[in-house]
Amino acid sequence: MNSAFSMKGVEIVKQAKLGAMGTRTRVHSRIAALMTVAVGLGVVASVGLLIGSGSSVEAVGTVPSSTVLSSSVNPNVYRQTVVFTAVVSGASGNPTGTVTFNSGAQTSTKTMTAGTASWSTVFNVGARSVTATYNGNATYAASNALPVSQVTNAAPTATTVSANVNPSVIGGAVNFTGNVTAILPQSGAPSSGTMRFYDGAVQIGSKVVVAGAATVTVSNLALGSHSITAAFQGSTNYTASTSPVRVQTVVPATATALTSNLNPAPAGSAITITATVTATTGVPTGTITFADGTTTIGTANLTGGTANITTSALTAGTHSITA
């Protein structure tokens, strides 16, 4: 059976014999549809409309498209969200359809709105090539954007150090705790890595960080002031950082003894209460506060390690005096 074609402004892409019933013709969708096809028993008038039998015309998306891929932040840091945006343009209007994003380890297909599709994700530390492919539609051909080389760096951190007691007595145990947290644009805390503790330039302890914290116990600090720092050594995903200096003061151990010139004493009597303070090293100085239970009954400065007050305010009964 013979086929006759009358075409104006069209481009034939491919012809394939369909047997005795005629020929199937595919044309670009951008072509003006002024065409009649006379095949055997039927006529196809305009692209994609089949009247009768024996032949069809199929529209194919061949209008060129262009895709551009961009990153919201590059480089980014560990666990910081990155938004990749693909903008697809065509000869007339905004193409519709989907865009597939691929980072090697991750793939996501997003539907476009007004020619644009976006994908939000996070990465571990490292570099990867991110691609975006417009998948085409009935009008527009698929297109690939130039890949974006996305670099993810370790997140910056800040470290602090604290002590459970300050001042501390010589020979007494002090717990130093280092805390490390991520700083903007990230949040959270490392759960690995090592924290080292220093007294000046001398390391006095080291512990593995768990949930952003590490603690060491030290009991051999000498008398005087000590410049304590905590230094996080960094990990795969977090940078190293060192705390500001914390001054730890170590003082001699002391003991306080109380005596009274009258015990028992008549009610209303003038009673002198004396506090004697001794230390492992030197003679203590400072102020002594005397109390009857939770009520302060006087203060006095230490002289040669002793201080005393005289009071007539004690009522009849038993009194627990402390200093």
Side-chain angles (χ1 to χ4, degrees):
M1 188 173 292
N2 295 325
S3 299
F5 296 87
S6 174
M7 293 168 284
K8 180 179 180 181
V10 301
E11 177 184 351
I12 295 178
V13 178
K14 182 178 180 181
Q15 293 184 338
K17 287 293 184 179
L18 297 181
M21 293 303 294
T23 301
R24 183 185 184 193
T25 305
R26 300 177 65 209
V27 298
H28 286 311
S29 59
R30 67 169 180 260
I31 301 170
L34 179 58
M35 176 175 64
T36 59
V37 182
V39 182
L41 301 176
V43 175
V44 176
S46 81
V47 175
L49 293 178
L50 175 62
I51 302 174
S53 63
S55 179
S56 67
V57 178
E58 180 183 68
V60 179
T62 54
V63 176
S65 67
S66 176
T67 302
V68 177
L69 177 63
S70 62
S71 167
S72 61
V73 54
N74 194 7
N76 68 310
V77 300
Y78 172 67
R79 301 296 296 175
Q80 180 186 10
T81 298
V82 184
V83 180
F84 293 97
T85 301
V87 178
V88 183
S89 57
S92 58
N94 293 320
T96 60
T98 61
V99 173
T100 298
F101 298 88
N102 191 300
S103 67
Q106 304 176 59
T107 301
S108 180
T109 298
K110 300 293 184 180
T111 300
M112 294 193 303
T113 300
T116 299
S118 295
W119 173 48
S120 299
T121 189
V122 295
F123 295 115
N124 290 326
V125 171
R128 74 280 303 153
S129 180
V130 180
T131 62
T133 298
Y134 169 55
N135 297 309
N137 63 12
T139 301
Y140 288 97
S143 58
N144 295 314
L146 291 175
V148 170
S149 180
Q150 183 71 35
V151 176
T152 302
N153 295 322
T157 65
T159 299
T160 61
V161 65
S162 60
N164 67 325
V165 58
N166 192 11
S168 55
V169 298
I170 189 168
V174 183
N175 295 331
F176 293 110
T177 299
N179 291 97
V180 57
T181 58
I183 59 177
L184 292 176
Q186 182 53 294
S187 60
S191 290
S192 62
T194 301
M195 188 78 72
R196 294 177 182 171
F197 297 83
Y198 293 89
D199 178 6
V202 178
Q203 184 174 320
I204 57 175
S206 177
K207 281 292 181 68
V208 173
V209 171
V210 178
T215 299
V216 295
T217 300
V218 179
S219 57
N220 59 351
L221 295 178
L223 287 172
S225 296
H226 299 264
S227 297
I228 305 299
T229 56
F232 175 58
Q233 302 302 297
S235 62
T236 301
N237 295 316
Y238 293 92
T239 63
S241 60
T242 299
S243 73
V245 171
R246 178 183 179 88
V247 177
Q248 179 72 24
T249 302
V250 179
V251 298
T254 61
T256 301
L258 284 175
T259 59
S260 168
N261 67 327
L262 288 174
N263 192 10
S269 300
I271 303 171
T272 300
I273 303 171
T274 302
T276 302
V277 183
T278 57
T280 53
T281 302
V283 178
T285 59
T287 301
I288 295 293
T289 298
F290 296 85
D292 177 8
T294 59
T295 302
T296 298
I297 57 176
T299 60
N301 292 326
L302 283 169
T303 301
T306 63
N308 60 71
I309 62 168
T310 299
T311 180
S312 301
L314 297 181
T315 59
T318 301
H319 299 266
S320 297
I321 307 300
T322 57

